[in-house]
Amino acid sequence: MRRVLPAGDRALLVEVADLAAAERLHAALAAAELPGVEELVPAARTVLVRCDPRRVAEVATAIRSLPLAASAPVVGREVEIAVAYDGEDLPEVAAYLGVSAAELVRRHTGARWRVAFTGFAPGFGYLVCDDPLFDVPRRSAPRTRVPRGAVALAGPYSGVYPRESPGGWQLVGRTHAELWDADREPPALLAPGTVVRFAAAGFTVAGAPPRAGASSRPAVATGAVDLPGDRSTAPAIEVVDPGLQLLVQDLGRVGRASLGVAESGAADRRAHRAAQRAVGNPPEAAALELLAGGATLRFRGAGVVARAGADLGATLVHRDGTTEAVPCETPVAVHDGDELVAGWAGRGLRSVIAVRGAIALAPELASLATDTLAGLGSRERGAAPRRAGDVVPLRGPAAVRAAVARPSLAPPPRLPAAGETVVLRVVLGPRDDWFTGDGVRRFLEDEWTVTPRSDRVGIRLEGARALERAVTAELPSEGMAAGAVQVPPHGHPVVLLRDRPVTGGYPVIACVVTDDLDLAAQTPPGARIRFRPTALDVGGPF
């Protein structure tokens, strides 16, 4: 069996019979190097194929005739992970499997586990084993907080949470192993093919052993980062007030899904490019992304600043007390000590503030993008938002091949406000057949309200009625494209944005087209969304 399903306008989901076939398909696709294929995300029974949007149909045709690889999965190095088996779900899981807790631990430590694929978060491996005992359902209601190092079970898989995050797996233990370290090569302890042995250990948090593979780099203070030397010669941005959330963003980390890393980066790509163009930076330079508004920034040294995105109103307060408006997508000169005061967004949700010259922070995985789900950002601060008192250092314009600062050629788009209705175009699938005809119809005809629980990971929606499922079984984890509209068990859609997980286990009823992702990211709580279907011809499922 092989089905090629649309996953938005620039990805295909290829479904096969089982994990072994998925591993062979992934190997065949990697070896074939099909023109137009940009990235592969293997999972339990599928491979997500990210494509050049102009060649999606061509790639779909090539995949249908591609023979599976004949070779067995590659087996990598072997690692041992010490686990304290005291997870809060352990008794319930043991009872479900019909064994004692002690027997479950004996079987878990006695099995030979192998990383079949990665996803969800950087360093998270989906481990399969040779013991048929392990097949347990996810929790009916996911936890909002699973601690770092939690050892968990779901379906036939075992996994270890690399950092604190939401999660719906059953918790059976905990470990101090360092699953992810960007300064390590490779950064993930558990790469595909790695063989894992779990060992029971009775350690406590207070007497924890050294973490396996822990980074040797010194701890970095989490307060303000100051600059050496003469303040007048060190250009920087001082954060007087960060507003609701102030993040450093660039265009993200492309091509790292095999590590469990989504591209992340600027939520509104158009606004990011417009602000960089206005100050004369290249589009890939980093800028500040402000949620809703309310920030005050002070400039060290002279320069050029521009804002784009949300209609929040901004004023430049000069050191002599005079003020100047900062129009959207227009360069404005600043001098040492000037302050940019941002109001609150009346339309839109996120603003981009660019300053001529590069942000001089050390990147993590070749990018300064702040990935709030994966915990990636700059090496100095990881994914931490900027705080009052922080100083964001800048390099001079020459460091980014600065061009002439110039305003936008076209007027900025009109962004939505709370109470208004936004139309997002979607490609149905890949799992629209998991919903009843009435469920698909309601998805497209109803209006969905954006809730305050939305963030950079996804827009959480509420409607008048939950979407009805035709298939109630659990969906094996599979790759998630940007814009994927997942439907969790409660039946209300979630539109996945830039900081989405690389893989997920809820069915995707449709995917927002790439050109509408910027608008989605600018839709504030209280606004309503309607989904409008658009066709994508990939020759139908096969």
PDB file of all heavy atoms in Angstrom, residues 105-114 128-132 134 195-198:
ATOM      1  N   VAL A 105       8.789  -2.646  34.649  1.00  0.00           N
ATOM      2  CA  VAL A 105      10.148  -2.100  34.693  1.00  0.00           C
ATOM      3  C   VAL A 105      11.146  -3.141  34.188  1.00  0.00           C
ATOM      4  O   VAL A 105      12.068  -2.821  33.423  1.00  0.00           O
ATOM      5  CB  VAL A 105      10.500  -1.646  36.124  1.00  0.00           C
ATOM      6  CG1 VAL A 105      11.975  -1.268  36.218  1.00  0.00           C
ATOM      7  CG2 VAL A 105       9.620  -0.469  36.541  1.00  0.00           C
ATOM      8  N   ARG A 106      10.967  -4.402  34.600  1.00  0.00           N
ATOM      9  CA  ARG A 106      11.881  -5.455  34.153  1.00  0.00           C
ATOM     10  C   ARG A 106      11.845  -5.593  32.634  1.00  0.00           C
ATOM     11  O   ARG A 106      12.891  -5.711  31.981  1.00  0.00           O
ATOM     12  CB  ARG A 106      11.511  -6.778  34.809  1.00  0.00           C
ATOM     13  CG  ARG A 106      12.518  -7.907  34.533  1.00  0.00           C
ATOM     14  CD  ARG A 106      12.012  -9.250  35.020  1.00  0.00           C
ATOM     15  NE  ARG A 106      10.913  -9.750  34.182  1.00  0.00           N
ATOM     16  CZ  ARG A 106      11.090 -10.331  32.997  1.00  0.00           C
ATOM     17  NH1 ARG A 106      12.307 -10.481  32.490  1.00  0.00           N
ATOM     18  NH2 ARG A 106      10.049 -10.761  32.301  1.00  0.00           N
ATOM     19  N   ARG A 107      10.655  -5.550  32.058  1.00  0.00           N
ATOM     20  CA  ARG A 107      10.525  -5.684  30.602  1.00  0.00           C
ATOM     21  C   ARG A 107      11.071  -4.446  29.882  1.00  0.00           C
ATOM     22  O   ARG A 107      11.676  -4.562  28.813  1.00  0.00           O
ATOM     23  CB  ARG A 107       9.049  -5.920  30.238  1.00  0.00           C
ATOM     24  CG  ARG A 107       8.442  -7.173  30.858  1.00  0.00           C
ATOM     25  CD  ARG A 107       8.708  -8.417  30.041  1.00  0.00           C
ATOM     26  NE  ARG A 107       7.942  -8.466  28.819  1.00  0.00           N
ATOM     27  CZ  ARG A 107       6.732  -9.024  28.701  1.00  0.00           C
ATOM     28  NH1 ARG A 107       6.137  -9.559  29.770  1.00  0.00           N
ATOM     29  NH2 ARG A 107       6.128  -9.064  27.539  1.00  0.00           N
ATOM     30  N   HIS A 108      10.848  -3.268  30.448  1.00  0.00           N
ATOM     31  CA  HIS A 108      11.331  -2.024  29.822  1.00  0.00           C
ATOM     32  C   HIS A 108      12.855  -1.979  29.801  1.00  0.00           C
ATOM     33  O   HIS A 108      13.463  -1.551  28.810  1.00  0.00           O
ATOM     34  CB  HIS A 108      10.763  -0.807  30.567  1.00  0.00           C
ATOM     35  CG  HIS A 108      10.899   0.482  29.818  1.00  0.00           C
ATOM     36  ND1 HIS A 108      11.855   1.420  30.113  1.00  0.00           N
ATOM     37  CD2 HIS A 108      10.190   0.989  28.769  1.00  0.00           C
ATOM     38  CE1 HIS A 108      11.727   2.460  29.300  1.00  0.00           C
ATOM     39  NE2 HIS A 108      10.724   2.226  28.478  1.00  0.00           N
ATOM     40  N   THR A 109      13.477  -2.408  30.899  1.00  0.00           N
ATOM     41  CA  THR A 109      14.941  -2.395  30.952  1.00  0.00           C
ATOM     42  C   THR A 109      15.551  -3.579  30.203  1.00  0.00           C
ATOM     43  O   THR A 109      16.702  -3.518  29.763  1.00  0.00           O
ATOM     44  CB  THR A 109      15.437  -2.410  32.410  1.00  0.00           C
ATOM     45  OG1 THR A 109      14.871  -3.533  33.102  1.00  0.00           O
ATOM     46  CG2 THR A 109      15.041  -1.125  33.126  1.00  0.00           C
ATOM     47  N   GLY A 110      14.797  -4.649  30.031  1.00  0.00           N
ATOM     48  CA  GLY A 110      15.326  -5.823  29.339  1.00  0.00           C
ATOM     49  C   GLY A 110      15.199  -5.750  27.830  1.00  0.00           C
ATOM     50  O   GLY A 110      15.868  -6.504  27.106  1.00  0.00           O
ATOM     51  N   ALA A 111      14.365  -4.847  27.343  1.00  0.00           N
ATOM     52  CA  ALA A 111      14.149  -4.753  25.899  1.00  0.00           C
ATOM     53  C   ALA A 111      15.306  -4.023  25.212  1.00  0.00           C
ATOM     54  O   ALA A 111      16.011  -3.217  25.824  1.00  0.00           O
ATOM     55  CB  ALA A 111      12.838  -4.025  25.612  1.00  0.00           C
ATOM     56  N   ARG A 112      15.475  -4.325  23.938  1.00  0.00           N
ATOM     57  CA  ARG A 112      16.454  -3.619  23.098  1.00  0.00           C
ATOM     58  C   ARG A 112      15.676  -2.582  22.286  1.00  0.00           C
ATOM     59  O   ARG A 112      14.917  -2.933  21.388  1.00  0.00           O
ATOM     60  CB  ARG A 112      17.177  -4.596  22.180  1.00  0.00           C
ATOM     61  CG  ARG A 112      18.246  -3.967  21.270  1.00  0.00           C
ATOM     62  CD  ARG A 112      18.889  -5.078  20.432  1.00  0.00           C
ATOM     63  NE  ARG A 112      19.991  -4.590  19.622  1.00  0.00           N
ATOM     64  CZ  ARG A 112      19.873  -4.132  18.382  1.00  0.00           C
ATOM     65  NH1 ARG A 112      18.660  -4.084  17.818  1.00  0.00           N
ATOM     66  NH2 ARG A 112      20.924  -3.715  17.708  1.00  0.00           N
ATOM     67  N   TRP A 113      15.876  -1.315  22.604  1.00  0.00           N
ATOM     68  CA  TRP A 113      15.140  -0.233  21.949  1.00  0.00           C
ATOM     69  C   TRP A 113      15.984   0.380  20.836  1.00  0.00           C
ATOM     70  O   TRP A 113      17.215   0.447  20.941  1.00  0.00           O
ATOM     71  CB  TRP A 113      14.768   0.843  22.967  1.00  0.00           C
ATOM     72  CG  TRP A 113      13.820   0.369  24.047  1.00  0.00           C
ATOM     73  CD1 TRP A 113      14.148  -0.221  25.226  1.00  0.00           C
ATOM     74  CD2 TRP A 113      12.398   0.434  24.007  1.00  0.00           C
ATOM     75  NE1 TRP A 113      13.022  -0.532  25.947  1.00  0.00           N
ATOM     76  CE2 TRP A 113      11.926  -0.135  25.218  1.00  0.00           C
ATOM     77  CE3 TRP A 113      11.467   0.903  23.097  1.00  0.00           C
ATOM     78  CZ2 TRP A 113      10.581  -0.235  25.526  1.00  0.00           C
ATOM     79  CZ3 TRP A 113      10.118   0.809  23.397  1.00  0.00           C
ATOM     80  CH2 TRP A 113       9.685   0.249  24.598  1.00  0.00           C
ATOM     81  N   ARG A 114      15.325   0.857  19.805  1.00  0.00           N
ATOM     82  CA  ARG A 114      16.006   1.510  18.683  1.00  0.00           C
ATOM     83  C   ARG A 114      15.235   2.757  18.279  1.00  0.00           C
ATOM     84  O   ARG A 114      13.995   2.746  18.252  1.00  0.00           O
ATOM     85  CB  ARG A 114      16.100   0.550  17.489  1.00  0.00           C
ATOM     86  CG  ARG A 114      16.728   1.159  16.231  1.00  0.00           C
ATOM     87  CD  ARG A 114      16.818   0.129  15.118  1.00  0.00           C
ATOM     88  NE  ARG A 114      15.512  -0.403  14.745  1.00  0.00           N
ATOM     89  CZ  ARG A 114      14.669   0.217  13.892  1.00  0.00           C
ATOM     90  NH1 ARG A 114      15.001   1.381  13.354  1.00  0.00           N
ATOM     91  NH2 ARG A 114      13.508  -0.329  13.601  1.00  0.00           N
ATOM     92  N   VAL A 128      11.402   2.085  19.301  1.00  0.00           N
ATOM     93  CA  VAL A 128      10.664   0.834  19.166  1.00  0.00           C
ATOM     94  C   VAL A 128      11.532  -0.289  19.721  1.00  0.00           C
ATOM     95  O   VAL A 128      12.760  -0.163  19.800  1.00  0.00           O
ATOM     96  CB  VAL A 128      10.289   0.550  17.700  1.00  0.00           C
ATOM     97  CG1 VAL A 128       9.323   1.586  17.178  1.00  0.00           C
ATOM     98  CG2 VAL A 128      11.545   0.508  16.814  1.00  0.00           C
ATOM     99  N   CYS A 129      10.882  -1.405  20.119  1.00  0.00           N
ATOM    100  CA  CYS A 129      11.651  -2.480  20.739  1.00  0.00           C
ATOM    101  C   CYS A 129      11.174  -3.840  20.242  1.00  0.00           C
ATOM    102  O   CYS A 129      10.207  -3.950  19.474  1.00  0.00           O
ATOM    103  CB  CYS A 129      11.574  -2.397  22.260  1.00  0.00           C
ATOM    104  SG  CYS A 129      10.009  -2.967  22.968  1.00  0.00           S
ATOM    105  N   ASP A 130      11.854  -4.874  20.743  1.00  0.00           N
ATOM    106  CA  ASP A 130      11.553  -6.250  20.334  1.00  0.00           C
ATOM    107  C   ASP A 130      10.607  -6.945  21.289  1.00  0.00           C
ATOM    108  O   ASP A 130      10.419  -8.162  21.196  1.00  0.00           O
ATOM    109  CB  ASP A 130      12.871  -7.045  20.218  1.00  0.00           C
ATOM    110  CG  ASP A 130      13.732  -6.922  21.479  1.00  0.00           C
ATOM    111  OD1 ASP A 130      13.287  -6.273  22.454  1.00  0.00           O
ATOM    112  OD2 ASP A 130      14.850  -7.463  21.481  1.00  0.00           O
ATOM    113  N   ASP A 131       9.984  -6.213  22.231  1.00  0.00           N
ATOM    114  CA  ASP A 131       9.051  -6.801  23.183  1.00  0.00           C
ATOM    115  C   ASP A 131       7.641  -6.354  22.822  1.00  0.00           C
ATOM    116  O   ASP A 131       7.329  -5.156  22.869  1.00  0.00           O
ATOM    117  CB  ASP A 131       9.399  -6.351  24.604  1.00  0.00           C
ATOM    118  CG  ASP A 131       8.592  -7.089  25.672  1.00  0.00           C
ATOM    119  OD1 ASP A 131       7.473  -7.542  25.374  1.00  0.00           O
ATOM    120  OD2 ASP A 131       9.095  -7.197  26.801  1.00  0.00           O
ATOM    121  N   PRO A 132       6.742  -7.284  22.478  1.00  0.00           N
ATOM    122  CA  PRO A 132       5.390  -6.905  22.048  1.00  0.00           C
ATOM    123  C   PRO A 132       4.509  -6.377  23.172  1.00  0.00           C
ATOM    124  O   PRO A 132       3.387  -5.938  22.911  1.00  0.00           O
ATOM    125  CB  PRO A 132       4.824  -8.207  21.477  1.00  0.00           C
ATOM    126  CG  PRO A 132       5.564  -9.287  22.209  1.00  0.00           C
ATOM    127  CD  PRO A 132       6.958  -8.744  22.427  1.00  0.00           C
ATOM    128  N   PHE A 134       4.681  -3.666  24.839  1.00  0.00           N
ATOM    129  CA  PHE A 134       4.513  -2.217  24.918  1.00  0.00           C
ATOM    130  C   PHE A 134       3.644  -1.681  23.789  1.00  0.00           C
ATOM    131  O   PHE A 134       4.091  -1.500  22.656  1.00  0.00           O
ATOM    132  CB  PHE A 134       5.888  -1.534  24.928  1.00  0.00           C
ATOM    133  CG  PHE A 134       6.705  -1.891  26.131  1.00  0.00           C
ATOM    134  CD1 PHE A 134       7.709  -2.842  26.042  1.00  0.00           C
ATOM    135  CD2 PHE A 134       6.431  -1.319  27.357  1.00  0.00           C
ATOM    136  CE1 PHE A 134       8.448  -3.197  27.160  1.00  0.00           C
ATOM    137  CE2 PHE A 134       7.161  -1.672  28.481  1.00  0.00           C
ATOM    138  CZ  PHE A 134       8.169  -2.614  28.384  1.00  0.00           C
ATOM    139  N   VAL A 195      20.738   2.588  19.257  1.00  0.00           N
ATOM    140  CA  VAL A 195      20.210   1.531  20.113  1.00  0.00           C
ATOM    141  C   VAL A 195      20.271   2.012  21.557  1.00  0.00           C
ATOM    142  O   VAL A 195      21.294   2.540  22.011  1.00  0.00           O
ATOM    143  CB  VAL A 195      21.013   0.229  19.948  1.00  0.00           C
ATOM    144  CG1 VAL A 195      20.552  -0.829  20.954  1.00  0.00           C
ATOM    145  CG2 VAL A 195      20.872  -0.293  18.522  1.00  0.00           C
ATOM    146  N   VAL A 196      19.173   1.834  22.288  1.00  0.00           N
ATOM    147  CA  VAL A 196      19.061   2.352  23.646  1.00  0.00           C
ATOM    148  C   VAL A 196      18.769   1.210  24.612  1.00  0.00           C
ATOM    149  O   VAL A 196      17.896   0.370  24.361  1.00  0.00           O
ATOM    150  CB  VAL A 196      17.950   3.420  23.751  1.00  0.00           C
ATOM    151  CG1 VAL A 196      17.796   3.914  25.191  1.00  0.00           C
ATOM    152  CG2 VAL A 196      18.261   4.597  22.831  1.00  0.00           C
ATOM    153  N   ARG A 197      19.512   1.183  25.706  1.00  0.00           N
ATOM    154  CA  ARG A 197      19.225   0.299  26.824  1.00  0.00           C
ATOM    155  C   ARG A 197      18.863   1.166  28.024  1.00  0.00           C
ATOM    156  O   ARG A 197      19.603   2.085  28.373  1.00  0.00           O
ATOM    157  CB  ARG A 197      20.450  -0.558  27.173  1.00  0.00           C
ATOM    158  CG  ARG A 197      20.879  -1.501  26.066  1.00  0.00           C
ATOM    159  CD  ARG A 197      19.996  -2.718  25.987  1.00  0.00           C
ATOM    160  NE  ARG A 197      20.506  -3.705  25.024  1.00  0.00           N
ATOM    161  CZ  ARG A 197      19.919  -4.845  24.751  1.00  0.00           C
ATOM    162  NH1 ARG A 197      18.797  -5.181  25.365  1.00  0.00           N
ATOM    163  NH2 ARG A 197      20.426  -5.683  23.871  1.00  0.00           N
ATOM    164  N   PHE A 198      17.719   0.893  28.639  1.00  0.00           N
ATOM    165  CA  PHE A 198      17.331   1.596  29.857  1.00  0.00           C
ATOM    166  C   PHE A 198      17.806   0.795  31.063  1.00  0.00           C
ATOM    167  O   PHE A 198      17.705  -0.440  31.079  1.00  0.00           O
ATOM    168  CB  PHE A 198      15.814   1.784  29.905  1.00  0.00           C
ATOM    169  CG  PHE A 198      15.282   2.738  28.876  1.00  0.00           C
ATOM    170  CD1 PHE A 198      14.627   2.263  27.745  1.00  0.00           C
ATOM    171  CD2 PHE A 198      15.433   4.101  29.036  1.00  0.00           C
ATOM    172  CE1 PHE A 198      14.130   3.131  26.792  1.00  0.00           C
ATOM    173  CE2 PHE A 198      14.944   4.986  28.080  1.00  0.00           C
ATOM    174  CZ  PHE A 198      14.285   4.506  26.966  1.00  0.00           C
TER     175      PHE A 198
END
